[in-house]
Amino acid sequence: MEIRNKRVSAEETTVLQKVLMQCISFSLGEQLYALSMDAVESILFARKIFLLPNTHDKLLGVYNLRGNIIPVYSLRRLLSLSDPYQGSRIVDEDDRYVIVVKYQRNTFGLMVDTIYKHLEVLENEFQGGDHIARWSEHAVVSGVILKQEQEILFIDMDRLFLYISSLQEKK
Amino acid sequence: MQEISQELVADFMNEAFELVQKMENSLLVLENNPTDKAAVAEIFRAAHTIKGGAGTIGFTEIKEFTHKVEDLLDRVRKSEIAVTPDLVSLLLRCKDVIEGMLDARQNGDVYVGELAEDIMKELGEYLGKQPPDPTASSQEGKTSNQSEGKASLSYLTAYERSVILEFLHQNFPVYELWYVFNENYEMKDVSAFQIYALVGDFAQIIRMEPSLEIVEKEFRPDFRLVVMTDKDEDFIRQKTFMKDLVTSLQIRRIRNNDIENLETQIMKGQSLETAPSVTEMEKSSLPQPSENPSSKKTTLSSDAQESVRMSTTLRVESTRIDELMNLVGELVINKSLLHEISQMMVKSHSNIRLFFKSFLSGIALLPLDENIETNRELNYHLREDFHQLETSLEQYQEILQRFNQISSALQENVTGLRMVPIQQVFSRFPRLVRDQAQKLGKQITLEIEGVETEIDKGMVDDLFDPLIHILRNSIDHGIEKPEERAAKGKSPQGKILLRAYHEGENVYIEVSDDGLGIDIDRVKQKAIEKGLISSATAENLSAKEALALIFLPGFSTAQEVTELSGRGVGMDVVKKKIEQLGGSVSLSTARDKGTKIQIKLPLTLAIIQGLHVLISGFSYILPIVSIDETMIVQPEDLVDIEGDPHINVRGEFVPVFSLRRFFYHESESFRSSFYCILAKQGEKHYGLVVDEIVGEQDVVIKPFNNRLIKSPGISAGTIIGNGNIGYIVDLNGVIQSYKDIVGQKGENHGNSQ
């Protein structure tokens, strides 16, 4: 996997401490996940997400984002985890969050449980490799960030989008 | 200018395509009237502008070819060459080549065609010169900026040259100033900027060589400026020859022939020099002409060239923007008025509140006689405040009304921005009709009316194909050969009328011809042969119903139409396309009088009239265009046909099915009365059951990202007044799905639809 936006911060003194990327981290249940900040447009409360009939079940519904209608996916369902909103016709919750992502001019939302924090990931904190792919059913996780005793699963945007697009084909 | 921006290329492309269209139109005018000077001037201008633009962005092959055409046109303009049908045909082919070149560039290729070379030869013959070596165009020289006394001007781009020529034509003096800087000057790094600024005070700078960007990065010992100014050489010298900065200044007046010589040199490929940036770009990013025969385009017949062009830029008349600005201005004024009124209201309100407060708290403490006086005063103030509040409210309502007007006007104006004259579609047809008629040996005049009728920009590309279909049907099958027409006592020259007009909320486009008309019996026969209808059904069909058969898929294919004295080439496709645009097609015909096809279109693609209904608590919008009527049905009116509920509507048994079931898979028992919406598909009606009908309303279409979401039966979304999302129903899709379900239904059929 190619990590985009590699940059070295000016204050770095040792090779070990190079900043690899900026991420946003969030949780699904007890597990922490991270997404590259590059793709994140904004974060919203999961208000007024309307079920769209006759679509695949990973799609939570559609959301009115400043006059444009965008699809919102349940990240829980995308990762084959249980989702309390399965079958809901309208999701209207103050304690769930939607991360709005823009990838190749496609804007969509991902519903997560809670937003954890912004992460600055150093090179030596990231472990990539395809063996990680076995951890997640759809290989959207492409690495692990080890930070302060925590294992944060890194979600790869390229793979995630590929997976989301393929759902559409199957439908 | 390090690289040519995509925007510049896109601008050039848009303009160039418009210009070739203009060229064609003027050529057709010229064909009918060989002495029309204005048409020649128009064609020349178009060629000249394309040449200049193509040179600027480094599309060398276009520049070279158009330059040649321009030479010929120049001779025509000066009456050195006469306008003959042959010449017009040649120029039309030239226009085709230019268009082919533009098309190729748009697809990221470079046009390679023998046709261009052949035409070049022909042009050469006309011009009485040898055509240039076609390979010359790919040999790019490098710009040198040697400090020699005689400046070559070779660094000028085609665009700059054309600017200079323009100035010279208008008798504005243009100079080349060559400054050599003093390298010992301590501030030499900014010398160039100082001179640039000084010159800029009294002259218009056309070109600076090397460019400011380069001079910013490093010190250059000299630089040249090409400027237009009404000041003389002495003045320039006096103003800009700063002894500390500059060691020498050479001033040279540029004349017409300097530029023309330069152009000829370039034409001959002796020292083909363009701006260095273009040269670099040519080498790095532009695809080079390949000698691969597969990429050769040798013919450019009109039917092969009817490619639809997608253009995302909109040209908007400045008056429209001005109107918008005025409206926005009014909005701002209104805003400040509202603000004032709000302050007044707050003041009145707090006064009244204070009055009550003092009245309630102080009344007991006041002696009676004083009390009357004070109360009188207080009463007076209270009345004043109430009066003030009343006035404010009245003003507030007035402003609100004005706000409504402004917002409607704004909506109308912004919608109007997307509107373009239908001329954009129609302008391509005269040539098509001319070529096609010539090919078939028919005499046809095309009359066009209502070119100024405006349609939504989004429709321009989609209308093109259906109209070509219809026109070609008229030319191929409608209009008879001259001798046939004469035998019928008609004028040998057939007529096709293409007409557009506005009526109410719709745009109409009509194509009528005075040809054969359609033989209805043959249409019926054809439909029976094709198995579309039974002969028994055919007996009972009215003429109108029989004509509608033409629009059925599979009614005819090209090779069979020739036996049919009518049309039908892909009329189902035409109908489908028009319906996708929210429109409809109708047809009328009379034997030997001709045929008229009418297309009805909505004004805009962005807003549709819809029927707002509720299905399982969600808002759905059904396009009014596809709805015939709404009704309330009682359960006892249902008739069971093959296990599916139907209702009898004026003798037609209409299948009824529930949208709640379709979208949410909920069962529907039809035990009590229900709302049913009659929609038509083809010749048949279908009844769609909804929970509630909210009413008719205009809705703004919010398209879905089809790459990510597709929902069968839903074509797009919309925002309902309260910010909630509503779904726009794709009625055709829903009905088709219903038909599929009914078709597949087996023994597992439930007790209800």
Side-chain angles (χ1 to χ4, degrees):
Chain A
M1 185 202 82
E2 181 184 284
I3 301 287
R4 282 165 301 142
N5 228 23
K6 253 187 179 178
R7 66 175 192 83
V8 180
S9 99
E11 304 84 42
E12 298 306 340
T13 48
T14 64
V15 178
L16 284 180
Q17 296 231 318
K18 273 186 188 164
V19 174
L20 181 66
M21 56 186 165
Q22 307 289 335
C23 286
I24 180 148
S25 61
F26 50 87
S27 72
L28 297 179
E30 297 298 302
Q31 178 63 54
L32 283 175
Y33 294 82
L35 263 180
S36 166
M37 212 56 152
D38 290 351
V40 177
E41 285 266 298
S42 59
I43 294 166
L44 321 157
F45 291 122
R47 303 299 308 267
K48 287 199 173 178
I49 300 166
F50 292 79
L51 174 86
L52 186 66
N54 296 331
T55 47
H56 56 80
D57 76 332
K58 312 283 183 193
L59 184 72
L60 197 69
V62 286
Y63 176 83
N64 172 7
L65 179 73
R66 296 183 296 275
N68 289 314
I69 296 179
I70 61 159
V72 178
Y73 299 89
S74 157
L75 193 62
R76 280 181 161 275
R77 295 183 217 166
L78 288 171
L79 298 171
S80 304
L81 304 166
S82 65
D83 180 357
Y85 298 97
Q86 189 89 43
S88 296
R89 289 197 168 183
I90 298 181
V91 176
D92 203 8
E93 286 288 350
D94 272 348
D95 57 355
R96 285 279 192 281
Y97 293 85
V98 171
I99 302 174
V100 179
V101 173
K102 192 166 188 173
Y103 180 86
Q104 293 177 351
R105 293 197 298 185
N106 297 282
T107 306
F108 57 94
L110 295 168
M111 188 172 78
V112 301
D113 293 0
T114 54
I115 302 290
Y116 177 52
K117 64 177 180 188
H118 162 242
L119 288 182
E120 192 164 67
V121 182
L122 304 178
E123 255 181 16
N124 60 341
E125 293 172 333
F126 182 80
Q127 290 187 5
D130 277 345
H131 62 285
I132 304 290
R134 287 178 294 126
W135 289 30
S136 71
E137 192 189 341
H138 303 294
V140 297
V141 172
S142 67
V144 181
I145 299 159
L146 299 166
K147 213 173 174 73
Q148 298 150 359
E149 309 291 301
Q150 280 174 318
E151 287 184 351
I152 303 167
L153 298 180
F154 177 76
I155 294 179
D156 178 54
M157 247 351 273
D158 299 328
R159 297 182 185 193
L160 181 73
F161 187 75
L162 205 65
Y163 174 46
I164 287 173
S165 315
S166 72
L167 292 169
Q168 178 62 37
E169 305 305 309
K170 283 180 213 157
K171 178 66 200 172
Chain B
M1 197 170 77
Q2 276 312 299
E3 58 176 54
I4 304 283
S5 76
Q6 283 304 312
E7 209 175 318
L8 198 66
V9 175
D11 278 352
F12 165 74
M13 281 290 182
N14 282 336
E15 190 182 16
F17 278 124
E18 270 177 43
L19 288 166
V20 285
Q21 197 48 58
K22 270 190 190 154
M23 258 172 116
E24 180 176 278
N25 295 344
S26 303
L27 280 165
L28 294 173
V29 169
L30 196 63
E31 189 173 41
N32 293 327
N33 182 9
T35 55
D36 192 331
K37 283 275 182 213
V40 177
E42 182 75 30
I43 303 162
F44 177 83
R45 257 199 307 273
H48 179 76
T49 313
I50 293 171
K51 182 198 71 175
T56 309
I57 55 175
F59 290 178
T60 324
E61 79 289 356
I62 301 179
K63 185 186 75 178
E64 299 293 321
F65 185 82
T66 321
H67 188 97
K68 210 60 188 151
V69 177
E70 189 192 12
D71 276 353
L72 174 61
L73 287 165
D74 194 34
R75 305 271 300 266
V76 176
R77 202 168 55 147
K78 292 172 182 160
S79 306
E80 292 170 19
I81 294 175
V83 178
T84 60
D86 279 355
L87 179 84
V88 174
S89 284
L90 171 68
L91 286 169
L92 278 171
R93 277 181 294 142
C94 289
K95 170 256 155 189
D96 286 339
V97 170
I98 297 169
E99 200 168 19
M101 288 175 166
L102 290 167
D103 273 329
R105 281 289 188 178
Q106 192 157 45
N107 301 327
D109 299 327
V110 176
Y111 178 93
V112 184
E114 290 157 6
L115 187 64
E117 288 162 31
D118 293 349
I119 290 183
M120 279 286 229
K121 281 203 185 83
E122 273 186 70
L123 285 171
E125 284 160 23
Y126 259 104
L127 291 164
K129 286 184 208 162
Q130 275 305 304
D133 179 4
T135 55
S137 62
S138 56
Q139 296 170 357
E140 294 286 346
K142 278 198 75 84
T143 305
S144 62
N145 191 23
Q146 293 148 358
S147 314
E148 51 188 46
K150 196 176 161 299
S152 70
L153 291 177
S154 58
Y155 51 82
L156 292 174
T157 64
Y159 171 71
E160 286 155 357
R161 290 198 299 271
S162 67
V163 168
I164 294 169
L165 280 177
E166 198 60 41
F167 280 137
L168 297 175
H169 280 308
Q170 296 174 31
N171 292 326
F172 291 125
V174 177
Y175 298 94
E176 183 188 40
L177 316 176
W178 179 32
Y179 294 88
V180 179
F181 297 116
N182 173 7
E183 302 199 27
N184 301 321
Y185 179 54
E186 59 211 34
M187 303 270 285
K188 66 177 183 187
D189 285 343
V190 292
S191 297
F193 289 96
Q194 280 180 285
I195 299 294
Y196 183 87
L198 284 171
V199 175
D201 281 343
F202 60 83
Q204 183 175 336
I205 297 173
I206 300 166
R207 174 67 189 264
M208 170 175 175
E209 177 64 27
S211 69
L212 267 179
E213 288 85 5
I214 294 172
V215 174
E216 257 177 1
K217 290 192 191 96
E218 55 183 292
F219 170 74
R220 291 296 184 97
D222 68 335
F223 86 150
R224 295 166 197 270
L225 292 171
V226 176
V227 303
M228 186 280 289
T229 178
D230 51 359
K231 306 289 187 224
D232 59 9
E233 291 187 27
D234 291 345
F235 179 92
I236 298 172
R237 193 169 290 279
Q238 191 195 327
K239 271 279 176 200
T240 64
F241 191 77
M242 319 276 286
K243 283 199 171 57
D244 298 350
L245 279 69
V246 180
T247 54
S248 88
L249 162 60
Q250 286 193 23
I251 301 176
R252 175 179 158 213
R253 179 120 185 222
I254 297 175
R255 310 273 174 195
N256 258 343
N257 54 5
D258 293 327
I259 300 293
E260 278 159 15
N261 291 345
L262 194 62
E263 304 249 337
T264 356
Q265 267 185 2
I266 288 169
M267 277 308 291
K268 285 183 184 152
Q270 284 174 348
S271 63
L272 201 120
E273 288 165 300
T274 49
S277 54
V278 175
T279 316
E280 284 155 26
M281 196 185 79
E282 293 252 340
K283 286 196 176 118
S284 59
S285 65
L286 286 176
Q288 289 304 304
S290 68
E291 278 311 305
N292 178 355
S294 67
S295 68
K296 285 210 171 193
K297 292 188 191 171
T298 47
T299 55
L300 271 164
S301 64
S302 55
D303 45 352
Q305 285 306 299
E306 276 142 24
S307 58
V308 171
R309 279 189 259 281
M310 296 298 291
S311 158
T312 47
T313 48
L314 268 176
R315 287 179 171 229
V316 179
E317 286 169 35
S318 53
T319 50
R320 283 189 159 161
I321 301 285
D322 294 344
E323 272 172 45
L324 274 180
M325 282 307 294
N326 288 342
L327 286 168
V328 171
E330 285 199 56
L331 263 187
V332 172
I333 293 167
N334 252 358
K335 193 176 73 178
S336 54
L337 280 175
L338 262 187
H339 193 73
E340 264 175 51
I341 290 180
S342 147
Q343 280 178 326
M344 298 280 272
M345 282 181 165
V346 168
K347 200 171 125 206
S348 311
H349 174 250
S350 68
N351 282 348
I352 293 167
R353 217 167 42 107
L354 275 175
F355 168 82
F356 278 110
K357 209 171 163 182
S358 64
F359 177 77
L360 290 171
S361 60
I363 188 162
L365 301 173
L366 292 167
L368 199 65
D369 56 342
E370 274 183 5
N371 218 355
I372 291 170
E373 201 48 49
T374 321
N375 281 350
R376 195 170 286 151
E377 202 177 323
L378 283 173
N379 265 331
Y380 170 76
H381 282 303
L382 183 63
R383 269 202 309 274
E384 279 291 291
D385 285 326
F386 264 113
H387 184 69
Q388 187 61 55
L389 198 58
E390 219 168 82
T391 318
S392 301
L393 262 177
E394 275 169 22
Q395 284 179 326
Y396 173 76
Q397 274 158 341
E398 269 172 40
I399 290 180
L400 201 62
Q401 222 168 18
R402 188 73 201 111
F403 246 123
N404 283 339
Q405 286 166 352
I406 295 174
S407 77
S408 311
L410 262 180
Q411 185 188 335
E412 208 171 299
N413 266 280
V414 173
T415 312
L417 289 185
R418 289 188 51 86
M419 305 297 270
V420 294
I422 203 160
Q423 170 69 7
Q424 289 202 5
V425 185
F426 284 4
S427 63
R428 304 175 64 89
F429 296 140
R431 173 79 183 278
L432 172 106
V433 173
R434 167 193 181 269
D435 290 358
Q436 192 69 10
Q438 273 188 355
K439 223 185 280 180
L440 298 171
K442 294 180 179 180
Q443 294 176 10
I444 302 176
T445 52
L446 174 69
E447 287 181 16
I448 297 183
E449 288 176 14
V451 288
E452 68 292 334
T453 309
E454 292 194 322
I455 55 166
D456 190 292
K457 169 84 184 163
M459 293 185 187
V460 170
D461 291 339
D462 293 331
L463 270 179
F464 206 75
D465 282 349
L467 282 173
I468 280 192
H469 258 306
I470 294 169
L471 276 169
R472 294 192 64 157
N473 274 334
S474 276
I475 303 163
D476 297 354
H477 312 294
I479 307 266
E480 314 88 331
K481 287 220 158 75
E483 54 274 20
E484 281 177 53
R485 292 180 63 90
K488 290 179 186 171
K490 292 183 181 179
S491 143
Q493 194 155 51
K495 197 175 86 174
I496 297 177
L497 173 68
L498 181 60
R499 177 167 170 247
Y501 56 94
H502 273 294
E503 203 172 273
E505 287 295 287
N506 293 293
V507 179
Y508 291 86
I509 301 171
E510 287 174 1
V511 182
S512 43
D513 64 53
D514 62 351
L516 269 178
I518 297 173
D519 183 342
I520 289 175
D521 293 336
R522 290 285 292 124
V523 170
K524 285 185 187 177
Q525 210 180 325
K526 201 88 222 158
I528 296 165
E529 283 169 26
K530 291 262 167 199
L532 297 171
I533 50 168
S534 64
S535 39
T537 318
E539 286 294 308
N540 301 323
L541 284 182
S542 66
K544 199 175 160 206
E545 287 165 330
L547 276 179
L549 295 170
I550 287 177
F551 292 110
L552 290 178
F555 172 78
S556 65
T557 53
Q559 60 267 29
E560 280 144 336
V561 165
T562 45
E563 335 162 2
L564 230 186
S565 61
R567 35 212 84 195
V569 184
M571 282 311 268
D572 59 317
V573 180
V574 170
K575 185 166 185 265
K576 199 171 159 190
K577 268 238 151 150
I578 299 297
E579 280 176 354
Q580 277 171 353
L581 294 174
S584 57
V585 189
S586 62
L587 190 149
S588 56
T589 185
R591 203 83 189 105
D592 283 331
K593 293 270 190 299
T595 304
K596 179 159 99 176
I597 291 179
Q598 188 187 59
I599 295 173
K600 178 182 167 185
L601 292 164
L603 274 183
T604 172
L605 289 175
I607 296 172
I608 58 161
Q609 268 203 308
L611 185 70
H612 183 177
V613 300
L614 294 181
I615 299 167
S616 202
F618 283 81
S619 288
Y620 280 78
I621 306 290
L622 306 171
I624 290 275
V625 181
S626 337
I627 296 174
D628 273 6
E629 58 183 297
T630 58
M631 48 175 64
I632 295 178
V633 179
Q634 304 301 335
E636 56 268 26
D637 295 338
L638 287 172
V639 184
D640 194 309
I641 299 177
E642 294 177 7
D644 297 311
H646 284 65
I647 46 172
N648 183 339
V649 183
R650 294 180 288 278
E652 182 190 356
F653 283 99
V654 175
V656 169
F657 60 97
S658 151
L659 288 182
R660 184 141 43 108
R661 188 187 177 103
F662 180 87
F663 288 119
Y664 299 102
H665 315 288
E666 297 171 16
S667 60
E668 182 76 71
S669 60
F670 298 130
R671 284 209 186 93
S672 52
S673 60
F674 55 85
Y675 289 104
C676 183
I677 290 161
L678 279 198
K680 198 171 180 182
Q681 195 193 46
E683 289 304 293
K684 224 172 141 25
H685 283 91
Y686 293 84
L688 300 99
V689 180
V690 300
D691 298 353
E692 263 180 69
I693 295 179
V694 181
E696 278 186 36
Q697 64 185 72
D698 286 349
V699 295
V700 179
I701 299 175
K702 298 286 181 183
F704 288 154
N705 176 345
N706 282 336
R707 197 172 162 184
L708 294 178
I709 35 179
K710 262 196 205 103
S711 170
I714 294 175
S715 60
T718 184
I719 312 292
I720 306 290
N722 52 12
N724 288 356
I725 292 174
Y727 300 126
I728 296 171
V729 179
D730 164 20
L731 278 172
N732 278 340
V734 170
I735 291 169
Q736 196 51 54
S737 301
Y738 166 79
K739 290 202 289 203
D740 294 347
I741 293 166
V742 170
Q744 299 164 358
K745 214 162 46 179
E747 60 283 354
N748 57 355
H749 172 62
N751 62 343
S752 60
Q753 213 306 312

